[in-house]
Amino acid sequence: MKKIYIAGPDVFEKDSTAIGKELVALCKKYGYEGLYPLDNVVDFSQEKYKIAQDIFDANVAMIQKADIIIANLNPFRGKEPDSGTVWECGYAYGLGKEVYGYIETKEEYIKRFGSDEKFERDGYFVDDKERLIEDFAHPLNLMIACSVKEIVEGGFEDVLKRL
C-alpha cells in the first residue's frame, strides 16, 4: 500500500487532530496509508528548541517513508502557502517523490493583488515596496507550481480522486 504524507497548515487549526483523522481516513478509503504529522510522538516536556528539532526530524522521516505528498497550498497568513508546507514539498521533490497540491482556486497569482496592492512599472507589476510581482499564469510561485506534479483546484479528496 502506497503511503501519502499529508502536508499543510491544517496542523495549526484548533481541531487539527480531528482534521488529521479525517484525511487519514480518506487516504484509506482510496487505498492508501495516510501519514499525518501530528501522528508523530514528540515529548513536549523538553526545551522548545529540542521539541522543534524532534518535530522536524519526525516529519522528515515521514516524508522519506512516503511515496506521495499531498499538500494544502492554500494561502496561509497572507497570499502565499505555509512556508513549512512549501519546504516539505521541495524536500519531497528533491527526493524524487510524487508531489501534488490542492488550492481552492487556481486563479493566477497576480490576480490576488487588488489595484491598491499592485502598480504597473514598464509592463510589469510591482507591490507597494517596488518588488516585482510574479506573473507566469500560475496560481502560485513558479518554484512551487513547476515542482508539483499537479495543482488541483479543490480539496484533499479531489487530489485522491485523480491519483
Side-chain angles (χ1 to χ4, degrees), residues 9 72-86 103 109-110 112-113 132-134 138-145:
N72 176 347
L73 296 175
N74 284 295
F76 181 70
R77 298 182 180 144
K79 294 185 187 326
E80 295 282 341
D82 169 56
S83 57
T85 303
V86 171
I103 192 167
Y109 180 69
I110 192 78
R112 289 192 199 163
F113 292 80
L132 185 67
I133 300 173
E134 195 170 295
H138 288 295
L140 301 167
N141 176 284
L142 72 92
M143 297 302 288
I144 304 166

Side-chain angles (χ1 to χ4, degrees), residues 3 33 35 60-68 95 97:
K3 294 175 175 62
E33 179 184 344
L35 306 175
V60 164
M62 265 190 174
I63 293 168
Q64 290 170 345
K65 286 184 356 184
D67 302 290
I68 299 166
L95 292 175
K97 309 285 182 176

Side-chain angles (χ1 to χ4, degrees), residues 25-45:
L26 282 171
C27 288
K28 187 174 184 177
K29 173 183 170 183
Y30 287 87
Y32 299 96
E33 179 184 344
L35 306 175
Y36 189 62
L38 293 184
D39 290 339
N40 288 315
V41 177
V42 176
D43 179 0
F44 283 90
S45 68

